[in-house]
């Protein structure tokens, strides 16, 4: 080990050397770059430094010098791909340099005696985004992003490909003075004078990603405060470092009681239980060696078959600061390995390791640059980079490259994808800034409605979906012009609104251009589970605003939902008498003979015991079903039901009204005053209140039913039983009586069918179009088509969705999840929501319940509560012009199941937040993320959530939502590089493009088509249209172009101009 301090390795001035603030070594180890107070970035040859003691060395020393900043340069960093060099200074600018292969055009800087430059470094980009000094820079390990931090308390994220500003993070409350990246490329950490370190989670962006794409990326994971509660604010930097195995962060300027220390923060838990103590002053910089070290030299005896080390590997860290000393530590020793006292005369400002981990460079405010060269064994023995990769694999490390274009078709496809994204951003910005030309007309619930106050959200130049609908029917030009004039006039009035201040001066009140529209919101997922607010979007989420293809309930369910009791199906093993040790499993094994399985029997005293098994006889005769399992296999409605639901009370007066569209209007007051003015028709029931004359329910007054319009009675009828529930629309009226009979009338009062008799008292009665739903007190769901006098499926029980499979069978019923909603859509599908957050539909073609929404997605998916305009605006508007012209039974094919999936997910959010389960599950998942085996947890759950949405949209025939979710899914799996799923998705939409037969590729006319058939649509969309949208989304991913280019050629996208309108997709 030796330290060298070449005389020429300085930023010299006329009277003294300038302070050197930063240094870094290039990934190839050939260059050292330094930055100082003279405003110069200097590139040095490391060979010249290593050979400074050799008088015969005649190689170049200084390779280049750049003076593109107007002030002191605080930080310089090479990109890991060795393509760029970045510097940040107190002129608030970040400069990005690239090495030009051409020789320098000048011999030396005029007026100086510096040696002529050897390399030609030129400014590639000047990044402007800070309001104060730039203090530190950091590159992600795949060079996909550059992060700058500064004294303006901002953390700015730049694209490592285009150097576009992707996001500005304002989480810190004071100067930010340090940045370090996770080598597994999952997190980065920033250190600030607000005495915190903040951990941000990110997903590496694609080469062509835009700021709009990444606005939902880079989320705050954790704020660490404990080791820094009393840290001094006198340090110029807080440079921290992440270990090469990804397990630890070392944070400078920490304190342990009254003593300065270096905090070692554990990954995952983000807690600090180790401190490096020994420096007399605050530590300003920490730097891990980029290699792992072993105790013995690498050899055949300590390596496995893959060439990886079998030793216990450790990490090495260097620390320095205001006490002018340098200490070297490793994770296997409680004390420092090496300490350099008084290495400099002023504070050490930065440390940089060579890529092989054996050389360390230090800079100081006294203007010196020192190189420390270690010999083998001084710190241990450096291992190969493969050992680093193995250590990082458990964290799901991914360092995907940008890929290589393999032909002109790939370039054309990438360009078309880029044009689509640029158009999308321009459309959103045009809408945000009130540019009428850039913002097409807003589509609300399938129709076109004016939105004078709000900018129009667009995607790739098209209108944004509201409630999943995107109808192309254009209104008359005259109406369109009137709406535009009204919008312009209102906007102008808002811009010219004058207010008078306290001192009497007139001021024009500023106009908030962003408003509350989807255009000002992020397009990428927010992983946080958020409670609906009392204003803004929260109102939009909670209010039932709109074209929701579900029946409108006449009778609201009790608060908390309709209570349910269950006799479960799961059988449990309880301790036997005299079995104090609870060795039930051993007794079961002992009771098994000749492969027979013992059965569990219920004893009289309630204790479940064992009955010895008997070897089955050879007789094939029909065996009688044992009595103890009969209730589990017999239809509950035929014997004793396993489900019991709350039954509504008999009310003396029930009044309901419908408006001109057949929707439920305001409930009428029994006095007949309120609410009826808005109703087109009113259905009124008066049940008898006097007791029976004979005591029998038959011997009393009948219930009186009447329908009136505008105060005039249309028809009357009488029923012998008291009425519990009523419903109706423009197609029919229905009433359910307490003894289980259901009567149906035409709008004119003609009895349409004979009374329908169900097995128990009705508790829910709903209608939609010609469909009628009745749920009884024993949990049976009946659905009928009144027009055709038929049913799409036999009665189905709610027991499976009420967790009957996991509740134990006992002598008493147990509480089950309550039913918070049961509705029908225009296809007659049953939609049920529960108070545990689950949402279900009954798949008629499969005769089984399907879960469409659950709290698992709300907690684990990054797409929950997404504010993507194409998803967040899948809400409804009561002013839907087109829907106003349709009656309740005339739902358009485009409106089928519109808004059902967002409705179920909003219901899940409400129930999960109100029940408090969400926060418990969030803490559980956060603890899992740091465990081995859960590295890709969030990504996997997010992709699965989108797949669940896609399947739900297909099951419900939700045409518009299907396309929205399909494009979101394609975008995500493309960003993840999931080639297998991309291939399957394209085959699902269109089928295999090239089918080999005996080693030959069949022509297009003989190729097999997909499972959907050549002329069939996918959920109502032409397959070519969907395929084109997906291909344009995936086209920017070069690693997927071998899969996407054949489909692109099939569609003829390569022959279309890149700026054509067809390139603009959702």
């Amino acid at each position: 080990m030796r330290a060298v301090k070449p005389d020429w390795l300085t930023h010299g001035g006329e009277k003294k050397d300038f302070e050197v603030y930063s240094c870094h070594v290039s990934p190839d180890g050939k260059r050292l770059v330094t930055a100082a107070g003279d405003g110069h970035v200097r590139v040095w040859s490391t060979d010249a430094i290593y050979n400074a003691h050799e008088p015969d060395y005649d190689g170049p020393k200084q390779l280049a010098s750049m003076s593109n900043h107007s002030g002191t340069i605080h930080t310089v960093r090479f990109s890991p791909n060795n393509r760029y060099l970045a510097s940040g200074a107190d002129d608030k600018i970040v400069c990005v340099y690239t090495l030009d292969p051409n020789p320098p055009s000048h011999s030396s800087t005029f007026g100086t005696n510096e040696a002529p430059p050897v390399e030609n470094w030129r400014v590639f980009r000047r990044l402007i985004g800070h309001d104060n000094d730039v203090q530190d820079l950091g590159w992600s390990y795949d060079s996909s992003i550059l992060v700058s931090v500064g004294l303006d308390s901002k953390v700015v994220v730049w694209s490592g490909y285009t150097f576009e500003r992707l996001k500005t993070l304002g989480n810190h409350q004071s100067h930010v003075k340090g940045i370090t990246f996770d080598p597994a490329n999952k997190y980065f950490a920033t250190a600030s004078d607000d005495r915190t370190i903040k951990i941000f989670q990110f997903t590496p962006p694609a080469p062509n990603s835009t700021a709009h794409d990444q606005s939902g990326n880079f989320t705050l994971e954790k704020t660490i405060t404990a080791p820094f509660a009393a840290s001094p604010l006198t340090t110029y930097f807080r440079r921290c470092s992440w270990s090469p195995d990804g397990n630890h962060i070392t944070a400078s300027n920490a304190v342990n009681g009254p003593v300065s220390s270096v905090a070692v923060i554990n990954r995952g838990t983000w807690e600090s239980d180790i401190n490096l103590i020994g420096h007399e002053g605050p530590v300003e910089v920490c730097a891990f060696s980029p290699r792992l070290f072993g105790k013995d030299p690498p050899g055949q005896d300590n390596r496995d078959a893959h060439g990886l080390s079998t030793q216990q590997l450790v990490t090495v860290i260097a620390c320095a600061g205001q006490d002018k000393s340098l200490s070297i530590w490793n994770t296997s020793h409680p004390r420092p390995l090496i300490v350099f006292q008084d290495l400099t005369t002023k504070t050490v400002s930065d440390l940089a390791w060579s890529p092989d981990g054996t050389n360390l460079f230090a800079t100081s405010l006294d203007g010196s640059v020192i190189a420390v060269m270690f010999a083998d064994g001084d710190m241990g023995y450096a291992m190969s980079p493969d050992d680093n990769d193995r250590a990082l694999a458990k964290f799901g490390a991914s360092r995907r490259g940008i890929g290589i274009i393999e032909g002109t078709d790939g370039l054309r496809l990438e360009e078309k994808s880029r044009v689509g994204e640029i158009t999308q951003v321009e459309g959103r910005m045009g809408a945000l800034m009130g540019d009428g030309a850039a913002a097409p007309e807003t589509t609300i619930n399938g129709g076109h409605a004016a939105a004078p106050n709000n900018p129009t959200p667009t995607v790739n130049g098209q209108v944004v979906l509201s409630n999943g609908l995107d109808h192309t029917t254009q209104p008359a030009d005259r109406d369109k012009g009137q709406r535009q004039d009204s919008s312009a006039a209102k906007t102008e009035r808002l811009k010219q609104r004058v207010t008078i201040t306290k001192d009497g001066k007139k001021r024009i009140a500023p106009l908030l251009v962003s408003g509350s529209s989807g255009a000002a919101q992020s397009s990428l997922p927010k992983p946080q589970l958020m409670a609906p607010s009392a204003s803004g979007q929260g109102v939009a989420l909670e209010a039932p605003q709109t074209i929701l293809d579900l029946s409108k309930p006449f009778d609201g369910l009790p608060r908390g939902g309709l209570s349910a009791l269950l006799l479960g199906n799961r059988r449990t093993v309880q301790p036997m008498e005299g079995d104090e040790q609870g060795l039930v499993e051993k007794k079961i094994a002992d009771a098994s003979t000749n492969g027979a399985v013992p059965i569990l029997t219920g004893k009289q005293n309630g204790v479940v015991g064992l009955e010895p098994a008997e070897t089955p006889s050879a007789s094939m005769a029909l065996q009688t079903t044992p009595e103890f399992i009969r209730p589990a296999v017999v239809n509950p409605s035929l014997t004793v039901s396993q489900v019991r639901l709350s039954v509504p009370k008999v009310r003396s007066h029930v009044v309901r009204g419908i408006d001109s569209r057949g929707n439920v209007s305001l409930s009428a007051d029994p006095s007949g005053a309120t609410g009826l003015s808005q109703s087109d028709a009113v259905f009124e029931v008066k049940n008898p209140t006097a007791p029976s004359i004979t005591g029998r329910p038959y011997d009393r007054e009948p219930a009186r039913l009447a329908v009136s319009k505008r105060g005039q009675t249309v028809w009357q009828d009488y029923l012998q039983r008291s009425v519990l529930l009523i419903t109706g629309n423009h197609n029919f009226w229905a009433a359910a009586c307490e003894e289980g009979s259901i009567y149906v009338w035409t709008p004119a009062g003609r009895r349409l069918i004979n009374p329908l008799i169900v097995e128990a008292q009705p508790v829910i009665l709903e209608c939609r179009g010609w469909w009628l739903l009745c749920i009884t007190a024993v949990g049976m769901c009946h659905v009928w088509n009144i027009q055709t006098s038929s049913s799409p499926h036999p009665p189905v029980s709610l027991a499976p969705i009420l967790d009957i499979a996991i509740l134990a069978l006992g002598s008493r019923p147990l509480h089950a999840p309550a039913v918070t909603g049961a509705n029908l859509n225009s296809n007659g599908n049953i939609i049920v929501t529960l108070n545990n957050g689950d949402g279900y539909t009954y798949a008629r073609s499969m005769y089984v319940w399907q879960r469409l929404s659950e709290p698992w997605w709300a907690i684990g998916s990054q797409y929950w509560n997404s504010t993507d305009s194409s998803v967040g605006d899948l809400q409804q508007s009561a002013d839907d012009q087109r829907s106003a012209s349709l009656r309740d039974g005339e739902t358009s094919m485009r409106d089928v199941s519109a808004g059902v999936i967002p409705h179920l997910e909003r219901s899940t959010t409400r129930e999960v937040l109100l029940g408090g389960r969400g926060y418990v599950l969030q803490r559980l998942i956060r603890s899992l993320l740091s465990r081995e085996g859960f590295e890709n947890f969030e990504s996997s759950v997010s992709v699965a959530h989108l797949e669940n949405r896609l399947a739900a949209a297909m099951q419900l025939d939700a045409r518009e939502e299907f396309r929205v979710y399909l494009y979101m899914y394609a975008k995500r799996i493309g960003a993840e590089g999931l080639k297998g799923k991309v291939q399957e998705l394209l085959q699902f939409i269109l089928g295999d493009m090239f089918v080999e037969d005996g080693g030959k590729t069949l022509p297009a006319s003989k190729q097999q088509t997909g499972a959907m058939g050549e002329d069939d649509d996918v959920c109502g969309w032409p397959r070519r249209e969907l395929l084109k949208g997906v291909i344009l989304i995936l086209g920017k991913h070069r690693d997927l172009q071998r899969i996407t280019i054949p489909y692109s050629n099939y569609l003829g996208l390569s022959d279309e101009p890149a700026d054509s309108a067809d390139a603009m997709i959702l």
Side-chain angles (χ1 to χ4, degrees):
M1 175 185 61
R2 60 189 177 90
V4 297
K5 184 180 178 182
D7 295 336
W8 47 264
L9 191 57
T10 60
H11 287 248
E14 294 181 359
K15 296 183 179 180
K16 66 173 184 176
D17 295 337
F18 286 96
E19 299 91 344
V20 183
Y21 289 97
S22 183
C23 65
H24 199 239
V25 182
S26 63
D28 59 7
K30 297 180 179 180
R31 301 174 183 88
L32 171 71
V33 60
T34 58
D38 60 351
H40 282 71
V41 174
R42 301 184 188 273
V43 182
W44 312 88
S45 169
T46 54
D47 286 339
I49 299 173
Y50 300 150
N51 295 281
H53 63 287
E54 298 289 344
D56 297 334
Y57 181 80
D58 58 354
K61 299 176 181 178
Q62 179 174 301
L63 303 179
S65 176
M66 296 85 75
S67 58
N68 299 96
H69 287 283
S70 60
T72 300
I73 304 175
H74 296 144
T75 176
V76 283
R77 295 291 183 264
F78 281 104
S79 64
N81 60 12
N82 208 25
R83 293 183 58 187
Y84 302 108
L85 169 64
S87 63
D90 61 6
D91 60 0
K92 313 172 188 177
I93 294 176
V94 176
C95 286
V96 180
Y97 310 87
T98 185
L99 180 59
D100 193 332
N102 299 318
S105 59
H106 57 280
S107 59
S108 63
T109 304
F110 179 77
T112 66
N113 55 359
E114 293 184 357
V118 178
E119 297 179 341
N120 186 11
W121 288 87
R122 60 180 181 85
V123 176
F124 181 72
R125 291 286 190 275
R126 291 171 60 89
L127 311 180
I128 301 175
H130 283 276
D131 300 325
N132 209 326
D133 300 6
V134 179
Q135 285 293 102
D136 207 2
L137 296 169
W139 293 87
S140 64
Y141 274 72
D142 62 352
S143 301
S144 61
I145 59 173
L146 169 67
V147 176
S148 59
V149 299
L151 300 186
D152 56 0
S153 306
K154 292 181 180 179
V155 178
V156 183
V157 183
W158 312 88
S159 169
Y161 306 104
T162 63
F163 295 99
E164 174 188 2
R165 182 168 55 181
L166 299 180
K167 194 169 187 179
T168 299
L169 306 171
N171 302 83
H172 283 290
Q173 305 302 317
S174 186
H175 310 321
V176 188
K177 296 181 176 180
I179 167 75
T180 183
F181 268 87
D182 169 23
N185 232 35
K186 303 293 183 182
Y187 304 97
F188 63 84
T190 57
S192 169
D193 274 352
D194 60 8
R195 294 189 171 99
T196 66
I197 282 186
K198 295 187 182 293
I199 311 295
F200 294 90
Q201 186 180 29
F202 75 99
T203 300
N208 294 333
S209 294
T210 62
H212 189 78
D213 293 334
Q214 300 301 313
S215 55
N217 202 351
F218 314 107
T219 58
L220 180 63
E221 173 75 12
K222 182 70 175 180
T223 298
I224 304 168
T225 59
F228 316 102
S231 64
L233 302 179
T234 59
T235 58
Y236 205 81
F237 299 105
R238 289 176 180 257
R239 286 175 167 149
C240 44
S241 181
W242 210 303
S243 64
D245 60 0
N247 286 321
H248 304 98
I249 303 173
T250 52
S252 59
N253 202 14
V255 291
N256 189 342
V259 181
S260 296
S261 68
V262 175
V264 180
I265 300 168
N266 299 319
R267 183 193 187 99
T269 61
W270 311 117
E271 297 177 351
S272 174
D273 52 7
I274 300 176
N275 287 274
L276 307 181
I277 300 175
H279 285 269
E280 297 178 356
V283 176
E284 294 209 8
V285 56
C286 303
F288 270 104
S289 173
R291 295 291 184 90
L292 297 175
F293 287 80
K295 183 178 180 181
D296 301 319
Q300 296 297 330
D301 56 340
N302 54 22
R303 289 194 171 277
D304 58 15
H306 301 285
L308 301 176
S309 176
T310 57
Q311 302 182 61
Q312 182 178 358
L313 304 182
V314 298
T315 55
V316 173
I317 181 173
C319 306
Q322 292 184 3
D323 62 354
K324 309 157 195 170
S325 62
L326 170 66
S327 60
I328 309 294
W329 309 69
N330 74 10
T331 52
S332 63
H333 288 78
R335 297 179 179 275
L337 300 178
I338 305 168
V339 177
F340 294 88
Q341 294 286 353
D342 297 324
L343 184 67
T344 61
T345 59
K346 289 186 180 180
T347 301
V348 177
S349 57
D350 204 358
L351 298 171
W353 288 90
S354 61
D356 59 5
T358 59
N359 302 296
L360 176 65
F361 296 89
T363 59
S364 171
L365 298 185
D366 63 5
S368 62
V369 180
I370 301 171
V372 181
M373 290 163 279
F374 299 94
D376 290 341
D378 289 343
M379 302 177 296
Y381 296 88
M383 299 292 110
S384 68
D386 293 337
D387 292 297
N388 289 32
D389 295 339
R390 179 182 62 177
L392 296 173
K394 63 181 178 181
F395 302 119
S398 174
R399 302 186 186 182
R400 293 172 52 204
I402 63 173
I404 300 175
I405 292 291
E406 298 185 1
T408 56
D409 291 338
L411 284 172
R412 293 192 188 100
L413 182 59
E414 183 175 338
E415 181 64 22
K416 290 180 70 65
S417 179
R418 187 197 302 269
V419 168
E421 287 190 343
I422 293 175
T423 308
Q424 170 184 350
V425 175
E426 290 176 349
R428 291 179 186 270
M429 288 302 297
L432 176 65
M433 301 306 295
D435 185 0
E441 194 176 12
T442 306
T443 300
I444 302 180
N445 301 324
H448 295 266
N453 258 350
N454 298 331
T456 303
T458 63
V459 180
N460 288 343
Q462 295 182 355
V463 291
V464 163
L465 300 180
S466 289
N467 220 13
L469 304 178
D470 181 17
H471 297 277
T472 57
T473 305
Q474 300 293 333
D477 293 340
R478 177 177 55 84
D479 296 337
K480 181 177 179 180
Q482 292 176 354
R483 283 195 299 271
Q484 291 178 347
D485 294 342
S486 174
S487 174
K490 188 170 183 179
T491 302
E492 188 64 25
R493 288 196 301 272
L494 288 173
K495 290 181 178 179
Q496 299 300 325
R497 186 172 54 190
V498 177
T499 59
I500 300 177
T501 61
K502 293 181 179 180
D503 55 0
K505 296 181 179 180
K506 294 183 178 180
R507 294 289 184 268
I508 296 178
L511 175 63
L512 179 63
V513 297
S514 61
S516 59
S517 73
Q521 299 172 348
S522 163
S523 70
L524 275 192
K526 287 187 177 180
Q528 295 87 0
L529 181 63
M530 300 178 296
S533 60
S535 62
Q537 187 181 356
V539 175
L541 288 174
E542 288 300 309
Q545 309 125 337
T546 46
I547 189 176
L548 181 61
D549 183 22
L550 286 179
S551 56
K552 310 300 187 296
F554 276 74
D555 294 282
L557 296 179
R559 185 174 183 179
L562 201 64
S563 300
L565 296 175
L566 280 182
L567 292 173
N569 280 340
R570 185 170 68 90
R571 294 174 177 261
T572 59
V573 178
Q574 298 183 12
M576 297 176 59
E577 294 182 9
D579 183 20
E580 292 79 6
Q581 297 182 358
L583 302 178
V584 179
E585 291 81 0
K586 184 176 183 299
K587 293 181 179 296
I588 293 177
D590 294 340
S592 301
T593 57
N594 298 327
V597 180
I599 57 178
L600 305 179
T601 60
K603 301 300 182 182
Q604 296 298 326
N605 57 6
V607 178
V608 178
L610 291 173
E611 180 177 306
E614 299 179 357
T615 304
S617 62
S619 174
M620 301 301 294
L622 182 64
Q623 302 295 321
T624 303
T625 303
E627 290 296 329
F628 52 81
I629 67 171
R630 288 184 64 84
V633 296
V634 177
N635 191 327
S637 65
L638 301 181
T639 56
V640 177
S641 174
Q642 293 178 270
V643 181
R644 292 292 181 182
L645 300 179
S646 302
V647 179
K649 295 180 179 180
V650 178
R651 292 163 288 181
S652 61
H653 196 191
V654 184
V655 181
R656 294 293 179 266
I658 61 172
D659 57 21
S660 59
R661 291 180 290 176
N663 297 325
V664 180
S665 63
L666 297 177
S667 298
D669 188 85
S671 62
T674 61
L676 293 179
S677 59
Q678 298 183 10
S679 301
D680 183 65
V682 178
F683 191 13
E684 183 178 7
V685 176
K686 291 185 178 181
N687 288 315
T689 57
S692 172
I693 301 175
T694 62
R696 294 176 298 182
Y698 296 94
D699 300 331
R700 62 179 178 182
E701 297 179 6
R704 177 178 176 273
L705 297 85
V707 172
S708 59
K709 285 188 176 182
R710 300 177 180 85
Q712 300 295 324
T713 300
V714 178
W715 59 267
Q716 291 185 358
D717 204 345
Y718 302 89
L719 297 179
Q720 193 175 6
R721 303 287 189 272
S722 296
V723 176
L724 290 178
L725 303 169
I726 60 175
T727 187
N729 53 38
H730 283 307
N731 296 325
F732 62 87
W733 298 98
C737 298
E738 59 179 344
E739 96 286 7
S741 59
I742 300 174
Y743 296 82
V744 181
W745 296 268
T746 64
R750 180 172 59 90
R751 294 205 178 192
L752 196 56
I753 54 178
N754 293 330
L756 307 173
I757 310 300
V758 293
E759 66 281 349
Q761 293 168 303
V763 297
I764 294 177
L765 192 67
E766 298 288 344
C767 67
R768 176 74 170 169
W770 284 101
W771 297 99
L772 178 63
L773 165 67
C774 176
I775 299 181
T776 66
V778 294
M780 299 301 293
C781 301
H782 301 262
V783 178
W784 303 284
N785 188 313
I786 302 301
Q787 186 178 29
T788 60
S789 299
S790 61
S791 177
H793 53 77
V796 56
S797 175
L798 288 176
I801 66 175
L802 296 179
D803 295 339
I804 194 171
I806 64 173
L807 294 179
L809 176 61
S811 58
R812 297 180 179 179
L814 303 175
H815 283 284
V819 179
T820 57
N823 310 87
L824 284 171
N825 74 344
S826 54
N827 276 351
N829 295 101
I830 308 174
I831 308 296
V832 178
T833 57
L834 305 179
N835 69 343
N836 62 3
D838 291 347
Y840 296 88
T841 186
Y842 187 75
R844 298 183 298 184
S845 59
M846 303 177 68
Y847 295 100
V848 71
W849 289 98
Q850 290 187 348
R851 186 186 294 112
L852 305 187
S853 180
E854 55 182 313
W856 178 250
W857 307 127
I859 303 302
S861 173
Q862 295 174 327
Y863 287 89
W864 198 267
N865 271 347
S866 173
T867 54
D868 187 346
S869 55
S870 57
V871 178
D873 293 337
L874 291 181
Q875 300 165 5
Q876 312 169 19
S877 171
D879 299 327
D880 183 356
Q881 298 178 355
R882 188 183 52 80
S883 295
S885 63
L886 296 176
R887 298 173 58 162
D888 183 69
E890 300 175 351
T891 303
S892 168
M893 289 301 295
R894 288 178 177 264
D895 294 343
V896 172
S897 299
V900 172
I901 300 174
H903 165 76
L904 294 177
E905 294 192 351
R906 289 196 296 270
S907 174
T908 300
T909 299
R910 287 194 300 268
E911 298 299 337
V912 170
L913 287 174
L914 291 176
R917 294 177 56 201
Y919 303 104
V920 176
L921 291 176
Q922 274 187 331
R923 289 197 298 268
L924 172 63
I925 289 177
R926 287 184 182 275
S927 65
L928 291 178
L929 293 178
S930 60
R931 298 184 187 177
E932 187 171 354
F934 291 87
E935 299 84 13
N936 299 317
F937 174 83
E938 286 188 312
S939 175
S940 299
V941 173
S942 299
V943 171
H945 179 214
L946 292 178
E947 292 169 347
N948 185 78
R949 281 178 167 179
L950 270 179
M954 291 194 66
Q955 177 63 41
L956 296 173
D957 291 328
R959 183 176 185 268
E960 300 297 335
E961 274 119 326
F962 174 79
R963 187 176 69 164
V964 172
Y965 297 144
L966 175 67
Y967 289 166
M968 291 179 65
Y969 179 62
K971 185 176 181 179
R972 182 57 184 253
I973 63 176
E976 295 282 346
L978 303 177
K979 295 182 180 180
K981 291 191 175 184
V982 169
Q983 183 71 52
E984 287 184 355
L985 178 64
L986 298 178
Q987 292 177 2
F988 163 74
I989 297 175
L990 193 60
D992 287 323
M993 300 302 301
F994 300 101
V995 181
E996 295 185 357
D997 183 14
K1000 297 181 179 180
T1001 301
L1002 299 180
S1005 60
K1006 296 183 180 181
Q1007 291 172 8
Q1008 298 177 357
T1009 58
M1012 307 302 294
E1014 184 177 1
D1015 298 325
D1016 292 342
D1017 296 337
V1018 181
C1019 203
W1021 291 98
R1023 291 181 295 137
R1024 290 180 62 92
E1025 181 177 344
L1026 292 180
L1027 181 65
K1028 187 172 185 178
V1030 171
I1031 290 297
L1032 288 175
I1033 290 175
L1034 299 174
K1036 66 180 181 181
H1037 301 287
R1038 295 181 180 179
D1039 54 337
L1040 300 175
Q1041 287 184 351
R1042 288 191 177 183
I1043 301 174
T1044 56
I1045 285 177
Y1047 290 89
S1048 174
N1049 294 337
Y1050 173 78
L1051 296 174
L1053 293 179
S1054 301
D1055 300 330
E1056 298 179 1
D1059 57 349
S1060 64
D1062 293 338
M1064 296 183 293
I1065 59 173
L1066 180 64

